[in-house]
Short mmCIF file of all heavy atoms in Angstrom, two decimals:
data_model
loop_
_atom_site.label_atom_id
_atom_site.label_comp_id
_atom_site.label_asym_id
_atom_site.label_seq_id
_atom_site.Cartn_x
_atom_site.Cartn_y
_atom_site.Cartn_z
N SER A 51 0.83 12.70 10.12
CA SER A 51 -0.04 13.86 10.38
C SER A 51 -0.56 14.49 9.16
O SER A 51 -1.79 14.70 9.02
CB SER A 51 0.74 14.88 11.17
OG SER A 51 0.05 16.09 11.29
N GLU A 52 0.29 14.64 8.16
CA GLU A 52 -0.10 15.13 6.82
C GLU A 52 -1.08 14.20 6.09
O GLU A 52 -2.06 14.60 5.56
CB GLU A 52 1.08 15.45 5.98
CG GLU A 52 0.77 16.14 4.67
CD GLU A 52 2.02 16.45 3.92
OE1 GLU A 52 3.09 16.63 4.44
OE2 GLU A 52 1.92 16.56 2.64
N GLN A 53 -0.74 12.95 6.09
CA GLN A 53 -1.54 11.94 5.38
C GLN A 53 -2.98 11.84 5.93
O GLN A 53 -3.90 11.60 5.20
CB GLN A 53 -0.83 10.57 5.50
CG GLN A 53 -1.58 9.41 4.66
CD GLN A 53 -0.77 8.18 4.54
OE1 GLN A 53 0.49 8.20 4.70
NE2 GLN A 53 -1.48 7.11 4.34
N LEU A 54 -3.07 12.02 7.25
CA LEU A 54 -4.42 11.94 7.89
C LEU A 54 -5.12 13.28 8.02
O LEU A 54 -6.14 13.44 8.64
CB LEU A 54 -4.27 11.26 9.28
CG LEU A 54 -3.79 9.88 9.17
CD1 LEU A 54 -3.62 9.30 10.61
CD2 LEU A 54 -4.71 8.94 8.45
N ALA A 55 -4.50 14.29 7.39
CA ALA A 55 -5.09 15.64 7.28
C ALA A 55 -5.33 16.39 8.61
O ALA A 55 -6.28 17.06 8.81
CB ALA A 55 -6.42 15.62 6.52
N PHE A 56 -4.42 16.19 9.51
CA PHE A 56 -4.43 16.95 10.79
C PHE A 56 -3.86 18.28 10.39
O PHE A 56 -3.01 18.40 9.58
CB PHE A 56 -3.57 16.33 11.88
CG PHE A 56 -4.25 15.17 12.56
CD1 PHE A 56 -4.10 13.81 12.11
CD2 PHE A 56 -5.10 15.42 13.66
CE1 PHE A 56 -4.75 12.77 12.72
CE2 PHE A 56 -5.72 14.41 14.35
CZ PHE A 56 -5.54 13.10 13.85
N SER A 57 -4.30 19.36 11.03
CA SER A 57 -3.85 20.78 10.67
C SER A 57 -2.44 21.02 11.00
O SER A 57 -1.79 21.82 10.31
CB SER A 57 -4.72 21.73 11.49
OG SER A 57 -4.60 21.58 12.80
N SER A 58 -1.79 20.29 11.90
CA SER A 58 -0.32 20.35 12.20
C SER A 58 0.09 19.09 12.93
O SER A 58 -0.69 18.38 13.50
CB SER A 58 -0.08 21.61 13.06
OG SER A 58 -0.62 21.45 14.32
N GLN A 59 1.39 18.92 12.94
CA GLN A 59 1.95 17.78 13.65
C GLN A 59 1.59 17.87 15.15
O GLN A 59 1.37 16.94 15.88
CB GLN A 59 3.48 17.61 13.42
CG GLN A 59 3.97 16.40 14.08
CD GLN A 59 5.44 16.14 13.85
OE1 GLN A 59 6.01 16.69 12.85
NE2 GLN A 59 6.11 15.39 14.61
N SER A 60 1.75 19.12 15.72
CA SER A 60 1.50 19.33 17.06
C SER A 60 0.02 19.11 17.45
O SER A 60 -0.35 18.56 18.54
CB SER A 60 1.87 20.82 17.55
OG SER A 60 1.12 21.72 16.93
N PHE A 61 -0.94 19.42 16.60
CA PHE A 61 -2.38 19.12 16.84
C PHE A 61 -2.47 17.58 16.75
O PHE A 61 -3.27 17.04 17.56
CB PHE A 61 -3.28 19.77 15.83
CG PHE A 61 -4.73 19.45 16.13
CD1 PHE A 61 -5.33 20.09 17.14
CD2 PHE A 61 -5.38 18.59 15.25
CE1 PHE A 61 -6.71 19.78 17.48
CE2 PHE A 61 -6.73 18.33 15.54
CZ PHE A 61 -7.40 18.95 16.60
N PHE A 62 -1.92 16.91 15.80
CA PHE A 62 -1.90 15.48 15.74
C PHE A 62 -1.45 14.81 17.07
O PHE A 62 -2.13 13.95 17.61
CB PHE A 62 -1.03 14.96 14.57
CG PHE A 62 -0.79 13.44 14.56
CD1 PHE A 62 -1.83 12.52 14.59
CD2 PHE A 62 0.51 13.02 14.58
CE1 PHE A 62 -1.49 11.20 14.55
CE2 PHE A 62 0.83 11.70 14.60
CZ PHE A 62 -0.24 10.73 14.65
N THR A 63 -0.24 15.28 17.54
CA THR A 63 0.30 14.75 18.75
C THR A 63 -0.66 14.92 19.96
O THR A 63 -0.87 14.00 20.71
CB THR A 63 1.69 15.43 19.07
OG1 THR A 63 2.51 15.01 18.03
CG2 THR A 63 2.27 14.93 20.34
N ALA A 64 -1.31 16.20 20.07
CA ALA A 64 -2.19 16.45 21.15
C ALA A 64 -3.39 15.56 21.07
O ALA A 64 -3.87 15.06 22.07
CB ALA A 64 -2.54 17.92 21.10
N ALA A 65 -4.03 15.43 19.82
CA ALA A 65 -5.23 14.59 19.69
C ALA A 65 -4.88 13.13 19.95
O ALA A 65 -5.66 12.47 20.67
CB ALA A 65 -5.74 14.81 18.26
N PHE A 66 -3.77 12.67 19.55
CA PHE A 66 -3.33 11.25 19.81
C PHE A 66 -3.19 11.07 21.29
O PHE A 66 -3.72 10.04 21.78
CB PHE A 66 -2.06 10.99 18.96
CG PHE A 66 -1.78 9.56 18.93
CD1 PHE A 66 -2.22 8.71 17.85
CD2 PHE A 66 -0.99 8.88 20.01
CE1 PHE A 66 -1.88 7.35 17.82
CE2 PHE A 66 -0.77 7.57 19.97
CZ PHE A 66 -1.24 6.77 18.77
N ARG A 67 -2.51 11.95 21.91
CA ARG A 67 -2.25 11.83 23.35
C ARG A 67 -3.63 11.80 24.12
O ARG A 67 -3.78 11.05 25.13
CB ARG A 67 -1.32 12.90 23.88
CG ARG A 67 -1.07 12.77 25.34
CD ARG A 67 -0.14 13.83 25.88
NE ARG A 67 0.75 13.18 26.74
CZ ARG A 67 1.95 13.55 27.04
NH1 ARG A 67 2.58 14.53 26.37
NH2 ARG A 67 2.71 12.97 27.98
#
Side-chain angles (χ1 to χ4, degrees):
S51 172
E52 184 178 333
Q53 185 171 333
L54 297 176
F56 282 92
S57 58
S58 68
Q59 185 179 339
S60 62
F61 182 73
F62 165 59
T63 299
F66 192 93
R67 181 180 218 150

